[in-house]
Amino acid sequence: MGAVATAGAGAVLGGFAGAPQARAEMEFPLDRGDFGGGGSEMESVCRSENDLYDCEVEGDLPPDLDGMFFRVGPDPQYPKPLQYMHDIPFDGEGHLSLFRIQNGHVDFRSRYARTQRWKAQHAARRSLFGMYRNPFTDDPSVKGLSRGTANTQIYFHHGKLFAMKEDSPPVEMNPLTLETVNDYYTFGGDLKGQTFTAHPKTDPVTGEMVAFGYEAKGLASNDVFVFSVDRTGKVNWSAWIKVPYVGMIHDFGVTQKHVLFYVCPLATNMTLLRRGGPHFAWDSTLPSWLGVMHRGGDGTDIRWFEGPGYMCTHTMGAWADGEKIYWDMDGGDSNQFPFFPQLYEKWSPVKSVGRVMRFTADLNNRRQKFYGIENLYPGVSGALSRQDDRYHTVPYRYGFLLSSDRTGGSRWAMFDQQTRTARFYSPGPDTSLAEMCFVPRKTGAPEGDGYLIGVASRRKEYGRSDLILVDTQHLDDGPIATVKMPYRVHGQIHGFWVPADQLTT
Ligand SMILES: [Fe+2]
């Protein structure tokens, strides 16, 4: 098990060298499929921070629904220099929005996270950071600043709202105003690693938030810092582990007793980085590794189970029965991010199709070397799996997925793991859906009883956005309420719901 993947097929990686070229004017490329598109609907750049009081609502918002739906995504602040114009879609600056829902009314606000990167570029009126997670390509003036974009996910814990990018510490935001409070939040200095996941988990029994960061001792380090934070924000446990090889660890799993890591062949590639490319390349010669360690320990007990070179990104749910762990993720047979270079073969759209996979490993079985694999719903494809967030770490029944139908249309899937059945909300061919988030019908509602909330983009209206709310008891009936936005909101990777009774400010 090596450390950093340094394999480099010269022909594949050779396109990134050359001297930086400055752009004189403020202009995004016409072809916005790469960085300029920011990964958003219709490959658009938004850049506009907006407020809209009392949005137009069609249908009936539940009068007792009281909370905030947050979302975040990459929205390029400035075009890259010509040399890096082909940067990947994930490298735009984090643009957050919130929909405040209360008494049947909806107010909207969007703001960029004022990261260290955003502030430096704002002052310079140009892009200063080069390729995705590649400090070798930065303008010398930003040396020492955090490269974090805060563009991936929102999370709320100990009364604080965080915007996160997995290459840097979280950025604290005011949950009511979306003003940036702290551009480098370190849990009182106890975040010993340099990085922080976009997908922490909250233990519903203890209230602890469990989190980790990979490449935690610097670029391409094989060190992972894992820790938990109590209800007050105090770090109450931490450990360091090492991974079999360095690659993307976008999400992780947590049970009541264990922490689970998945290392997949989207490997950190120093050859690529030194040539000015993005951070990762797909190395199909590598296996995947599923690591299991105990919470509360020092990390020396971690045990790695081997598997095929799948690419899995998001956890649907994880739990343990004694020392046997169950971990549901969405994943494909190969690279799901075609904008990262392939080292040895062409990217395969067929192999990239995501399924809901169940991985198992039994710590009591000393002879088990490979983790178990089950495709839970062979006929359903998709990505960005979610669950009722109140069921992190414990056995769960309902999972959710941004799915696609046979025609390529998007839909939201809801799985009943007990009956192994799936139900869908399909908006029709002229609408594309972003990832949804589950909203409990009320405090204490049964698991899965509530609403799915998320943004729909109307293709025939140049991507105009609606926020839709679907009742999980009646997915087929379509939205019970539609918040009709008069424009196209910024792009999104993830969203997060915070009920009003959790807000303390
Ligand atoms: Fe994610």
Side-chain angles (χ1 to χ4, degrees):
M1 298 194 294
V4 182
T6 55
V12 176
L13 304 184
F16 299 102
Q21 298 169 270
R23 282 183 67 82
E25 66 276 355
M26 171 60 193
E27 180 185 9
F28 283 90
L30 291 177
D31 178 4
R32 296 181 169 182
D34 293 328
F35 171 72
S40 59
E41 181 63 21
M42 308 293 284
E43 299 179 346
S44 61
V45 174
C46 174
R47 304 181 74 236
S48 175
E49 298 176 307
N50 294 326
D51 290 296
L52 185 58
Y53 188 71
D54 249 333
C55 301
E56 182 182 0
V57 178
E58 184 178 273
D60 298 307
L61 273 175
D64 57 348
L65 186 62
D66 193 358
M68 289 175 149
F69 177 60
F70 297 95
R71 49 192 294 279
V72 66
D75 188 11
Q77 179 188 11
Y78 283 101
K80 297 273 179 156
L82 286 173
Q83 171 77 352
Y84 307 120
M85 196 63 78
H86 55 292
D87 196 2
I88 73 163
F90 292 166
D91 206 28
E93 284 66 32
H95 195 160
L96 291 79
S97 56
L98 74 83
F99 291 87
R100 176 72 175 105
I101 302 176
Q102 186 177 35
N103 299 325
H105 294 274
V106 182
D107 302 325
F108 174 82
R109 169 166 287 188
S110 84
R111 294 289 186 274
Y112 273 109
R114 265 56 172 173
T115 60
Q116 294 180 14
R117 167 171 158 153
W118 188 96
K119 286 183 279 195
Q121 295 185 152
H122 184 77
R125 290 183 179 269
R126 67 184 178 96
S127 171
L128 298 171
F129 291 78
M131 287 293 280
Y132 173 77
R133 295 181 65 177
N134 186 343
F136 299 133
T137 59
D138 292 346
D139 187 282
S141 67
V142 298
K143 186 177 177 58
L145 293 184
S146 172
R147 302 191 85 259
T149 52
N151 72 9
T152 310
Q153 175 60 312
I154 306 289
Y155 208 79
F156 189 80
H157 189 264
H158 62 277
K160 296 184 184 301
L161 186 78
F162 300 110
M164 302 164 297
K165 176 73 182 181
E166 65 200 50
D167 67 348
S168 50
V171 172
E172 182 189 354
M173 310 291 294
N174 183 307
L176 299 177
T177 66
L178 290 187
E179 292 172 301
T180 303
V181 177
N182 185 340
D183 65 19
Y184 202 85
Y185 189 85
T186 62
F187 300 88
D190 288 334
L191 176 61
K192 300 302 183 187
Q194 300 174 20
T195 57
F196 184 85
T197 178
H199 292 291
K201 307 281 185 267
T202 297
D203 183 328
V205 178
T206 66
E208 295 168 303
M209 178 176 73
V210 185
F212 76 103
Y214 69 98
E215 298 192 37
K217 289 187 178 178
L219 184 69
S221 85
N222 62 350
D223 303 281
V224 173
F225 183 67
V226 55
F227 65 108
S228 60
V229 177
D230 70 16
R231 296 176 190 271
T232 70
K234 181 177 172 49
V235 171
N236 59 7
W237 167 68
S238 66
W240 287 92
I241 64 158
K242 288 188 179 294
V243 286
Y245 61 84
V246 185
M248 179 183 283
I249 311 177
H250 180 64
D251 200 347
F252 75 144
V254 183
T255 78
Q256 282 287 292
K257 292 169 116 182
H258 313 89
V259 179
L260 318 174
F261 296 103
Y262 194 80
V263 179
C264 75
L266 198 60
T268 301
N269 191 296
M270 286 303 294
T271 302
L272 185 61
L273 284 164
R274 290 196 179 97
R275 292 183 182 183
H279 196 89
F280 301 110
W282 183 259
D283 184 348
S284 57
T285 66
L286 296 170
S288 62
W289 293 97
L290 193 162
V292 186
M293 63 178 284
H294 284 92
R295 290 169 59 181
D298 64 1
T300 57
D301 65 320
I302 191 161
R303 188 169 156 195
W304 294 97
F305 299 86
E306 189 173 350
Y310 291 161
M311 179 171 173
C312 297
T313 48
H314 291 102
T315 295
M316 182 174 285
W319 77 99
D321 181 5
E323 291 298 307
K324 183 169 184 178
I325 67 99
Y326 296 82
W327 190 6
D328 298 343
M329 302 184 83
D330 66 83
D333 291 343
S334 187
N335 182 19
Q336 297 186 304
F337 294 153
F339 37 79
F340 289 120
Q342 300 266 140
L343 291 185
Y344 300 111
E345 63 283 293
K346 288 185 177 178
W347 178 73
S348 166
V350 175
K351 289 184 176 179
S352 73
V353 172
R355 309 289 183 188
V356 182
M357 315 291 280
R358 174 160 295 172
F359 300 147
T360 53
D362 188 353
L363 292 176
N364 285 333
N365 182 353
R366 300 308 306 174
R367 299 173 64 183
Q368 184 177 357
K369 293 183 178 179
F370 300 92
Y371 60 83
I373 303 168
E374 183 182 6
N375 183 344
L376 296 182
Y377 301 91
V380 181
S381 62
L384 300 167
S385 55
R386 299 289 298 253
Q387 67 178 143
D388 182 333
D389 289 334
R390 300 170 300 171
Y391 286 78
H392 289 173
T393 80
V394 297
Y396 77 106
R397 180 169 178 177
Y398 298 105
F400 310 99
L401 191 74
L402 177 59
S403 182
S404 54
D405 60 26
R406 289 177 181 166
T407 67
S410 62
R411 57 184 182 175
W412 289 340
M414 179 174 180
F415 302 102
D416 183 337
Q417 304 285 34
Q418 200 170 87
T419 61
R420 286 286 178 97
T421 55
R423 295 183 292 125
F424 302 93
Y425 161 64
S426 298
D430 299 324
T431 296
S432 63
L433 297 171
E435 177 213 58
M436 89 305 288
C437 188
F438 172 75
V439 178
R441 193 176 304 277
K442 57 185 178 183
T443 301
E447 181 187 1
D449 180 32
Y451 314 99
L452 297 183
I453 193 170
V455 166
S457 299
R458 310 302 184 184
R459 290 176 179 149
K460 287 188 172 178
E461 299 174 68
Y462 201 59
R464 190 189 59 77
S465 306
D466 286 332
L467 180 73
I468 59 175
L469 196 72
V470 181
D471 192 317
T472 57
Q473 303 289 347
H474 307 283
L475 288 186
D476 290 343
D477 293 349
I480 58 170
T482 299
V483 181
K484 299 175 73 68
M485 302 301 290
Y487 40 72
R488 184 176 58 216
V489 298
H490 65 79
Q492 168 188 340
I493 297 181
H494 291 296
F496 195 76
W497 172 260
V498 180
D501 58 12
Q502 288 186 16
L503 296 172
T504 57
T505 54

